[in-house]
Coordinates of all heavy atoms in Angstrom, one line a residue:
L1 N 0.4 41.7 -6.1 CA -0.2 40.5 -6.5 C 0.5 39.3 -5.9 O 1.7 39.3 -6.0 CB -0.2 40.3 -8.0 CG -1.3 41.0 -8.8 CD1 -1.0 40.8 -10.3 CD2 -2.7 40.5 -8.4
V2 N -0.1 38.3 -5.5 CA 0.4 37.0 -5.0 C 0.1 36.0 -6.0 O -1.1 35.6 -6.4 CB -0.1 36.7 -3.7 CG1 0.5 35.4 -3.2 CG2 0.3 37.8 -2.7
A3 N 1.1 35.3 -6.6 CA 0.8 34.2 -7.5 C 0.5 32.9 -6.7 O 1.1 32.6 -5.7 CB 2.1 33.9 -8.4
Q4 N -0.6 32.3 -7.1 CA -0.9 31.0 -6.4 C -0.4 29.9 -7.2 O -0.3 29.8 -8.4 CB -2.4 30.9 -6.5 CG -3.0 31.9 -5.5 CD -4.5 31.6 -5.3 OE1 -5.0 30.4 -5.6 NE2 -5.1 32.3 -4.5
Q5 N 0.3 28.9 -6.5 CA 0.9 27.8 -7.0 C 0.0 26.6 -6.6 O -0.4 26.5 -5.4 CB 2.3 27.5 -6.5 CG 3.3 28.7 -7.1 CD 4.6 28.4 -6.5 OE1 4.8 27.9 -5.5 NE2 5.6 28.9 -7.2
K6 N 0.0 25.6 -7.5 CA -0.7 24.3 -7.1 C 0.3 23.6 -6.2 O 1.6 23.6 -6.5 CB -1.0 23.5 -8.3 CG -2.2 23.9 -9.0 CD -2.5 23.0 -10.2 CE -3.7 23.5 -10.9 NZ -4.2 22.6 -11.9
P7 N -0.1 23.1 -5.1 CA 0.9 22.3 -4.3 C 1.3 21.1 -5.1 O 0.7 20.3 -5.8 CB 0.0 21.8 -3.1 CG -1.4 22.1 -3.5 CD -1.4 22.9 -4.5
S8 N 2.7 20.8 -4.9 CA 3.3 19.7 -5.7 C 3.0 18.4 -4.9 O 3.0 18.4 -3.7 CB 4.8 19.9 -5.9 OG 5.5 19.9 -4.6
K9 N 2.9 17.4 -5.7 CA 2.7 16.0 -5.1 C 4.1 15.3 -5.1 O 4.6 15.2 -6.2 CB 1.6 15.3 -5.9 CG 0.3 15.9 -5.7 CD -0.8 15.1 -6.5 CE -2.1 15.8 -6.4 NZ -3.0 15.1 -7.2
V10 N 4.4 14.8 -4.1 CA 5.7 14.0 -4.0 C 5.4 12.5 -4.3 O 4.6 11.8 -3.7 CB 6.3 14.2 -2.6 CG1 7.6 13.3 -2.5 CG2 6.6 15.5 -2.2
P11 N 6.0 12.0 -5.4 CA 5.8 10.6 -5.7 C 6.3 9.6 -4.8 O 7.3 9.9 -4.1 CB 6.4 10.5 -7.1 CG 7.4 11.5 -7.2 CD 6.9 12.6 -6.3
A12 N 5.8 8.5 -4.7 CA 6.2 7.4 -3.8 C 7.6 6.9 -4.3 O 8.0 7.0 -5.5 CB 5.2 6.3 -3.8
Y13 N 8.4 6.3 -3.4 CA 9.7 5.8 -3.8 C 9.4 4.7 -4.8 O 8.5 3.9 -4.7 CB 10.3 5.1 -2.4 CG 11.6 4.4 -2.7 CD1 12.8 5.1 -2.9 CD2 11.6 3.1 -2.6 CE1 14.0 4.4 -3.1 CE2 12.8 2.3 -2.8 CZ 13.9 3.0 -3.0 OH 15.1 2.3 -3.3
Q14 N 10.3 4.6 -5.9 CA 10.1 3.8 -6.9 C 10.7 2.3 -6.8 O 10.4 1.4 -7.7 CB 10.7 4.4 -8.2 CG 10.1 5.7 -8.6 CD 8.6 5.5 -9.0 OE1 8.3 4.7 -9.7 NE2 7.8 6.3 -8.3
G15 N 11.5 2.1 -5.7 CA 12.1 0.8 -5.6 C 11.2 -0.2 -4.7 O 10.1 0.1 -4.3
V16 N 11.8 -1.4 -4.6 CA 11.2 -2.4 -3.7 C 11.7 -2.0 -2.2 O 12.9 -1.8 -2.0 CB 11.5 -3.8 -4.0 CG1 11.1 -4.8 -3.1 CG2 11.1 -4.1 -5.5
I17 N 10.7 -2.1 -1.3 CA 11.1 -1.9 0.2 C 10.6 -3.0 1.0 O 9.7 -3.8 0.6 CB 10.5 -0.5 0.7 CG1 9.1 -0.6 0.7 CG2 11.2 0.6 -0.1 CD1 8.5 0.6 1.5
K18 N 11.2 -3.2 2.1 CA 10.8 -4.2 3.1 C 9.9 -3.5 4.2 O 10.3 -2.6 4.7 CB 12.0 -5.0 3.7 CG 12.7 -5.9 2.8 CD 13.8 -6.5 3.6 CE 14.5 -7.5 2.6 NZ 15.6 -8.3 3.3
R19 N 8.8 -4.2 4.4 CA 7.9 -3.8 5.5 C 7.8 -4.9 6.4 O 7.8 -6.1 6.1 CB 6.5 -3.4 5.0 CG 6.5 -2.2 4.1 CD 6.6 -1.1 5.0 NE 6.7 0.2 4.2 CZ 5.9 1.2 4.3 NH1 4.7 1.0 5.1 NH2 6.0 2.3 3.6
V20 N 7.8 -4.6 7.7 CA 7.7 -5.6 8.8 C 6.3 -5.8 9.3 O 5.7 -4.8 9.7 CB 8.7 -5.3 10.0 CG1 8.6 -6.4 11.1 CG2 10.1 -5.1 9.4
Q21 N 5.8 -7.0 9.3 CA 4.4 -7.3 9.8 C 4.5 -7.2 11.3 O 5.6 -7.4 11.9 CB 4.0 -8.6 9.3 CG 3.8 -8.7 7.7 CD 2.5 -8.1 7.4 OE1 2.2 -7.0 7.7 NE2 1.8 -8.8 6.5
P22 N 3.4 -7.1 12.1 CA 3.3 -7.1 13.4 C 3.9 -8.4 14.1 O 4.5 -8.3 15.2 CB 1.9 -6.9 13.8 CG 1.3 -6.1 12.7 CD 2.0 -6.6 11.5
N23 N 3.9 -9.5 13.4 CA 4.4 -10.7 13.9 C 6.0 -10.9 13.7 O 6.5 -11.9 14.0 CB 3.6 -12.0 13.4 CG 3.8 -12.1 11.9 OD1 4.4 -11.4 11.2 ND2 3.2 -13.1 11.4
G24 N 6.5 -9.9 13.0 CA 7.9 -10.0 12.7 C 8.3 -10.4 11.3 O 9.5 -10.3 10.8
D25 N 7.4 -11.0 10.5 CA 7.6 -11.4 9.1 C 7.9 -10.1 8.3 O 7.3 -9.1 8.6 CB 6.4 -12.1 8.6 CG 6.2 -13.5 9.2 OD1 7.1 -14.0 9.8 OD2 5.1 -14.0 8.9
T26 N 8.7 -10.3 7.2 CA 9.0 -9.1 6.4 C 8.4 -9.4 5.1 O 8.2 -10.6 4.7 CB 10.5 -8.9 6.2 OG1 11.1 -10.1 5.7 CG2 11.3 -8.5 7.5
V27 N 7.9 -8.3 4.4 CA 7.2 -8.4 3.1 C 7.9 -7.4 2.2 O 8.1 -6.3 2.6 CB 5.7 -8.1 3.3 CG1 5.0 -8.1 1.9 CG2 5.0 -9.0 4.3
C28 N 8.3 -7.8 1.1 CA 8.8 -6.9 0.0 C 7.7 -6.3 -0.8 O 7.0 -7.1 -1.4 CB 9.9 -7.6 -0.8 SG 11.3 -8.1 0.1
V29 N 7.6 -5.0 -0.9 CA 6.5 -4.3 -1.5 C 7.1 -3.3 -2.4 O 8.1 -2.7 -2.3 CB 5.4 -3.8 -0.6 CG1 4.8 -4.9 0.3 CG2 6.0 -2.7 0.3
R30 N 6.2 -2.7 -3.4 CA 6.5 -1.6 -4.1 C 5.4 -0.5 -3.7 O 4.3 -0.8 -3.6 CB 6.4 -1.8 -5.5 CG 7.4 -2.5 -6.2 CD 7.3 -2.5 -7.8 NE 8.5 -3.2 -8.3 CZ 9.7 -2.8 -8.5 NH1 9.9 -1.5 -8.2 NH2 10.6 -3.4 -9.0
L31 N 5.9 0.8 -3.5 CA 4.9 1.8 -3.2 C 4.5 2.6 -4.5 O 5.3 2.7 -5.5 CB 5.6 2.8 -2.3 CG 6.1 2.2 -1.0 CD1 6.8 3.4 -0.3 CD2 5.1 1.7 -0.2
H32 N 3.2 3.0 -4.5 CA 2.6 3.7 -5.6 C 1.9 5.0 -5.1 O 1.5 5.0 -4.0 CB 1.7 2.9 -6.4 CG 2.3 1.6 -6.9 ND1 3.0 1.5 -8.1 CD2 2.4 0.4 -6.3 CE1 3.4 0.3 -8.3 NE2 3.1 -0.5 -7.2
G33 N 1.8 5.9 -6.0 CA 1.0 7.1 -5.6 C 1.9 8.2 -5.2 O 3.1 8.4 -5.5
D34 N 1.2 9.0 -4.3 CA 1.9 10.2 -3.7 C 1.4 10.4 -2.3 O 0.9 9.4 -1.7 CB 1.6 11.5 -4.5 CG 0.1 11.7 -4.7 OD1 -0.6 11.5 -3.7 OD2 -0.2 12.2 -5.7
E35 N 1.7 11.5 -1.6 CA 1.3 11.6 -0.2 C -0.1 11.7 0.0 O -0.6 11.4 1.2 CB 2.0 12.9 0.4 CG 1.6 14.3 0.1 CD 2.1 14.8 -1.2 OE1 2.8 14.1 -2.0 OE2 1.8 16.0 -1.4
R36 N -0.9 12.0 -1.0 CA -2.3 12.1 -0.8 C -3.1 10.7 -1.0 O -4.0 10.4 -0.5 CB -2.9 13.1 -1.7 CG -2.4 14.5 -1.3 CD -2.9 15.5 -2.2 NE -2.1 16.7 -1.9 CZ -2.6 18.0 -2.1 NH1 -3.8 18.2 -2.8 NH2 -1.8 19.0 -1.9
Q37 N -2.6 10.0 -2.1 CA -3.3 8.7 -2.4 C -2.1 7.7 -2.7 O -1.2 8.0 -3.5 CB -4.1 8.9 -3.7 CG -4.7 7.7 -4.1 CD -5.5 7.9 -5.4 OE1 -5.6 8.9 -6.0 NE2 -6.1 6.7 -5.8
H38 N -2.1 6.7 -2.0 CA -1.0 5.7 -2.1 C -1.4 4.3 -1.8 O -2.4 4.1 -1.1 CB 0.1 6.2 -1.1 CG -0.3 6.5 0.3 ND1 -0.8 7.7 0.6 CD2 -0.4 5.6 1.4 CE1 -1.1 7.6 1.9 NE2 -0.9 6.5 2.4
W39 N -0.8 3.5 -2.3 CA -0.9 1.9 -2.1 C 0.3 1.2 -2.3 O 1.3 1.7 -2.8 CB -2.1 1.5 -3.1 CG -1.8 1.5 -4.5 CD1 -1.3 0.5 -5.3 CD2 -1.9 2.7 -5.4 NE1 -1.2 0.9 -6.6 CE2 -1.5 2.3 -6.7 CE3 -2.3 4.0 -5.2 CZ2 -1.5 3.2 -7.7 CZ3 -2.3 4.9 -6.3 CH2 -1.9 4.5 -7.5
M40 N 0.2 -0.1 -2.0 CA 1.3 -1.0 -2.2 C 1.0 -2.2 -3.2 O -0.2 -2.5 -3.3 CB 1.8 -1.7 -0.8 CG 2.2 -0.6 0.1 SD 2.4 -1.4 1.8 CE 0.8 -1.4 2.4
T41 N 2.0 -2.7 -3.8 CA 1.8 -4.0 -4.6 C 2.9 -4.9 -4.3 O 4.0 -4.6 -3.9 CB 1.7 -3.7 -6.1 OG1 2.9 -3.2 -6.5 CG2 0.6 -2.8 -6.4
L42 N 2.6 -6.2 -4.6 CA 3.7 -7.2 -4.6 C 4.3 -7.1 -5.9 O 3.9 -6.5 -6.9 CB 3.1 -8.6 -4.4 CG 2.6 -8.8 -3.0 CD1 1.9 -10.3 -2.9 CD2 3.7 -8.7 -1.9
S43 N 5.5 -7.9 -6.1 CA 6.1 -8.0 -7.4 C 5.2 -8.6 -8.5 O 5.4 -8.2 -9.7 CB 7.4 -8.8 -7.3 OG 7.1 -10.2 -6.9
D44 N 4.2 -9.3 -8.3 CA 3.3 -9.9 -9.2 C 2.1 -8.9 -9.5 O 1.3 -9.2 -10.2 CB 2.7 -11.2 -8.7 CG 1.9 -11.2 -7.4 OD1 1.6 -10.0 -6.9 OD2 1.6 -12.2 -7.0
G45 N 2.1 -7.8 -8.9 CA 1.2 -6.7 -9.2 C -0.1 -6.7 -8.3 O -0.9 -5.8 -8.5
K46 N -0.2 -7.8 -7.4 CA -1.4 -7.8 -6.5 C -1.3 -6.6 -5.6 O -0.4 -6.2 -5.0 CB -1.5 -9.1 -5.7 CG -1.7 -10.2 -6.7 CD -1.8 -11.6 -5.9 CE -2.0 -12.7 -6.9 NZ -1.9 -13.9 -6.4
T47 N -2.5 -6.0 -5.5 CA -2.7 -4.7 -4.6 C -2.8 -5.1 -3.1 O -3.5 -6.1 -2.8 CB -3.9 -3.9 -5.0 OG1 -3.8 -3.7 -6.4 CG2 -4.1 -2.7 -4.3
L48 N -2.2 -4.4 -2.3 CA -2.1 -4.6 -0.9 C -2.7 -3.4 -0.1 O -2.6 -2.2 -0.5 CB -0.7 -4.8 -0.4 CG 0.2 -5.9 -1.1 CD1 1.5 -6.0 -0.7 CD2 -0.5 -7.3 -1.0
V49 N -3.2 -3.6 1.0 CA -3.6 -2.6 2.0 C -3.2 -2.9 3.4 O -3.2 -4.0 3.8 CB -5.3 -2.6 1.9 CG1 -5.8 -1.5 2.8 CG2 -5.7 -2.3 0.5
K50 N -2.9 -1.8 4.1 CA -2.6 -2.0 5.6 C -3.9 -2.0 6.3 O -4.5 -1.1 6.3 CB -1.6 -1.0 6.0 CG -1.1 -1.2 7.4 CD 0.1 -0.3 7.7 CE 0.6 -0.7 9.1 NZ 1.8 0.2 9.5
E51 N -4.1 -3.1 7.0 CA -5.3 -3.3 7.8 C -5.3 -2.4 9.0 O -4.2 -2.6 9.8 CB -5.5 -4.8 8.0 CG -6.8 -5.1 8.7 CD -6.6 -5.6 10.1 OE1 -5.5 -6.0 10.5 OE2 -7.5 -5.6 10.8
N52 N -6.2 -1.7 9.3 CA -6.1 -0.8 10.5 C -6.1 -1.4 11.8 O -5.6 -1.0 12.8 CB -7.1 0.3 10.3 CG -6.8 1.3 9.3 OD1 -5.7 1.6 8.9 ND2 -8.0 1.9 8.7
K53 N -7.0 -2.5 11.9 CA -7.2 -3.0 13.2 C -5.9 -3.6 14.0 O -5.7 -3.3 15.1 CB -8.2 -4.1 13.1 CG -8.7 -4.7 14.3 CD -9.8 -5.9 14.2 CE -10.1 -6.6 15.5 NZ -11.0 -7.7 15.2
N54 N -5.2 -4.4 13.2 CA -4.0 -5.1 13.7 C -2.7 -4.5 13.1 O -1.6 -4.9 13.5 CB -4.1 -6.6 13.7 CG -5.2 -7.1 14.5 OD1 -5.5 -6.6 15.6 ND2 -6.0 -7.9 13.9
G55 N -2.8 -3.7 12.0 CA -1.6 -3.1 11.4 C -1.0 -4.2 10.3 O 0.1 -3.9 9.9
Y56 N -1.6 -5.2 10.0 CA -1.0 -6.1 9.0 C -1.2 -5.7 7.5 O -2.2 -5.1 7.3 CB -1.6 -7.6 9.1 CG -1.0 -8.4 10.2 CD1 -1.6 -8.5 11.5 CD2 0.1 -9.2 10.0 CE1 -1.0 -9.2 12.5 CE2 0.6 -9.9 11.0 CZ 0.0 -9.9 12.3 OH 0.6 -10.7 13.3
I57 N -0.3 -6.0 6.7 CA -0.4 -5.7 5.3 C -1.2 -6.9 4.8 O -0.8 -8.1 4.9 CB 0.9 -5.5 4.6 CG1 1.6 -4.3 5.2 CG2 0.7 -5.3 3.1 CD1 3.1 -4.2 4.7
C58 N -2.3 -6.6 4.1 CA -3.2 -7.7 3.6 C -3.5 -7.5 2.1 O -3.3 -6.4 1.6 CB -4.5 -7.7 4.3 SG -4.4 -7.9 6.2
Y59 N -3.9 -8.6 1.5 CA -4.3 -8.4 0.2 C -5.6 -7.5 0.1 O -6.3 -7.6 1.0 CB -4.7 -9.8 -0.5 CG -3.4 -10.7 -0.7 CD1 -3.0 -11.6 0.2 CD2 -2.7 -10.5 -1.8 CE1 -1.9 -12.3 0.0 CE2 -1.5 -11.3 -2.1 CZ -1.1 -12.2 -1.1 OH 0.0 -13.0 -1.3
A60 N -5.8 -6.9 -1.0 CA -6.9 -6.0 -1.2 C -8.0 -6.4 -2.0 O -7.7 -7.4 -2.9 CB -6.4 -4.6 -1.7
K61 N -9.2 -6.0 -1.8 CA -10.3 -6.3 -2.7 C -11.1 -5.1 -3.0 O -11.1 -4.2 -2.1 CB -11.2 -7.5 -2.2 CG -12.0 -7.0 -0.9 CD -12.8 -8.2 -0.5 CE -13.6 -7.8 0.8 NZ -14.4 -8.9 1.3
K62 N -11.8 -5.1 -4.1 CA -12.6 -3.9 -4.4 C -14.0 -4.2 -4.2 O -14.6 -5.2 -4.7 CB -12.4 -3.5 -6.0 CG -13.0 -2.2 -6.3 CD -12.9 -1.9 -7.7 CE -11.7 -0.9 -8.0 NZ -11.7 -0.5 -9.4
K63 N -14.6 -3.4 -3.4 CA -16.1 -3.5 -3.1 C -16.9 -3.1 -4.2 O -16.4 -2.4 -5.2 CB -16.5 -2.8 -1.9 CG -15.8 -3.3 -0.6 CD -16.1 -2.4 0.6 CE -17.5 -2.6 1.1 NZ -17.8 -1.8 2.3
K64 N -18.2 -3.4 -4.3 CA -19.1 -3.1 -5.4 C -19.1 -1.5 -5.6 O -19.2 -1.1 -6.8 CB -20.5 -3.6 -5.3 CG -20.6 -5.1 -5.4 CD -22.0 -5.6 -5.2 CE -22.0 -7.1 -5.4 NZ -23.4 -7.6 -5.1
N65 N -19.0 -0.7 -4.6 CA -19.0 0.7 -4.7 C -17.7 1.3 -5.1 O -17.5 2.5 -5.2 CB -19.6 1.3 -3.5 CG -18.6 1.1 -2.3 OD1 -17.5 0.4 -2.4 ND2 -18.9 1.6 -1.1
G66 N -16.6 0.4 -5.4 CA -15.4 0.9 -5.9 C -14.4 1.1 -4.8 O -13.2 1.4 -5.1
V67 N -14.7 1.1 -3.6 CA -13.8 1.3 -2.4 C -12.9 0.1 -2.2 O -13.4 -1.1 -2.3 CB -14.5 1.5 -1.1 CG1 -13.6 1.7 0.1 CG2 -15.4 2.8 -1.2
I68 N -11.6 0.3 -2.0 CA -10.7 -0.9 -1.9 C -10.4 -1.0 -0.4 O -10.2 -0.1 0.3 CB -9.3 -0.5 -2.5 CG1 -9.5 -0.4 -4.1 CG2 -8.3 -1.5 -2.3 CD1 -8.3 0.0 -4.9
V69 N -10.6 -2.3 0.0 CA -10.5 -2.7 1.5 C -9.7 -3.9 1.5 O -9.3 -4.6 0.7 CB -11.9 -2.9 2.1 CG1 -12.8 -1.7 2.1 CG2 -12.6 -4.1 1.3
A70 N -9.2 -4.1 2.8 CA -8.3 -5.2 3.1 C -9.2 -6.4 3.2 O -10.2 -6.4 3.7 CB -7.5 -5.0 4.5
T71 N -8.6 -7.5 2.8 CA -9.2 -8.8 3.0 C -8.7 -9.4 4.3 O -7.9 -8.7 5.0 CB -8.8 -9.9 1.8 OG1 -7.3 -10.1 2.0 CG2 -9.1 -9.4 0.5
C72 N -9.0 -10.5 4.7 CA -8.5 -11.2 5.9 C -7.2 -11.9 5.7 O -6.7 -12.4 6.6 CB -9.5 -12.2 6.4 SG -11.1 -11.5 7.0
K73 N -6.8 -12.1 4.4 CA -5.6 -12.8 4.1 C -4.3 -11.9 4.2 O -4.1 -10.9 3.5 CB -5.6 -13.4 2.7 CG -4.6 -14.3 2.4 CD -4.7 -14.9 1.1 CE -3.6 -15.9 0.8 NZ -3.7 -16.6 -0.5
K74 N -3.5 -12.3 5.2 CA -2.2 -11.6 5.4 C -1.2 -11.9 4.4 O -1.2 -13.0 4.0 CB -1.7 -11.8 6.9 CG -2.7 -11.4 7.9 CD -2.2 -11.9 9.3 CE -3.2 -11.5 10.3 NZ -3.2 -12.4 11.4
V75 N -0.3 -10.9 4.0 CA 0.7 -11.1 3.0 C 1.9 -11.8 3.6 O 2.2 -11.4 4.8 CB 1.1 -9.8 2.4 CG1 2.1 -10.0 1.3 CG2 -0.1 -9.2 1.8
K76 N 2.4 -12.8 2.9 CA 3.7 -13.4 3.4 C 4.6 -13.5 2.2 O 4.1 -13.8 1.0 CB 3.4 -14.9 3.9 CG 2.6 -14.9 5.1 CD 2.5 -16.3 5.6 CE 1.6 -16.5 6.8 NZ 1.3 -17.7 7.3
N77 N 5.9 -13.3 2.3 CA 6.9 -13.5 1.3 C 6.9 -15.0 1.0 O 6.9 -15.8 1.8 CB 8.3 -13.0 1.6 CG 8.4 -11.5 1.4 OD1 7.6 -11.0 0.5 ND2 9.3 -10.9 1.9
K78 N 7.0 -15.3 -0.3 CA 7.2 -16.7 -0.8 C 8.6 -17.2 -0.4 O 9.5 -16.4 -0.7 CB 6.9 -16.8 -2.3 CG 5.5 -16.6 -2.6 CD 5.3 -16.7 -4.0 CE 3.7 -16.5 -4.3 NZ 3.4 -16.5 -5.7
K79 N 8.7 -18.3 0.1 CA 10.1 -18.8 0.5 C 10.8 -19.5 -0.7 O 10.2 -20.0 -1.6 CB 10.0 -19.7 1.6 CG 9.2 -18.9 2.7 CD 9.8 -19.3 4.1 CE 9.0 -18.5 5.0 NZ 9.5 -18.3 6.3

């Protein structure tokens, strides 16, 4: 007999990390989720998404069908 195990999910790093935007700006974010489902937030809790076209981390919005997509607004650290 072979016992079947459910694959374990590795949780995201729990601290704040710096991500570099394509233009060189750095953004401090928190990671959430695991290797299958993951997202980022700012310290104020706003959800972020990495935009696929240019690779920028942008603010996220939820569409009517529940899908979370990137907005056109790029994230910048407050000075």
Side-chain angles (χ1 to χ4, degrees):
L1 277 177
V2 176
Q4 290 195 6
Q5 295 178 332
K6 288 185 176 182
S8 63
K9 295 179 184 176
V10 179
Y13 176 75
Q14 297 298 306
V16 175
I17 63 168
K18 287 185 181 180
R19 292 288 174 115
V20 179
Q21 297 280 49
N23 65 358
D25 289 348
T26 59
V27 180
C28 295
V29 301
R30 287 189 178 276
L31 301 177
H32 303 275
D34 56 39
E35 74 271 13
R36 294 177 192 204
Q37 181 180 1
H38 49 274
W39 65 96
M40 297 174 277
T41 60
L42 290 175
S43 60
D44 63 7
K46 291 184 180 166
T47 304
L48 309 173
V49 176
K50 189 168 185 180
E51 186 249 343
N52 289 330
K53 183 178 176 186
N54 296 312
Y56 279 93
I57 298 170
C58 300
Y59 290 96
K61 67 177 178 181
K62 188 184 262 188
K63 294 173 74 174
K64 289 181 181 180
N65 64 1
V67 175
I68 295 175
V69 296
T71 65
C72 296
K73 188 172 180 183
K74 297 171 188 157
V75 177
K76 295 181 182 177
N77 275 337
K78 294 179 181 175
K79 304 216 180 200

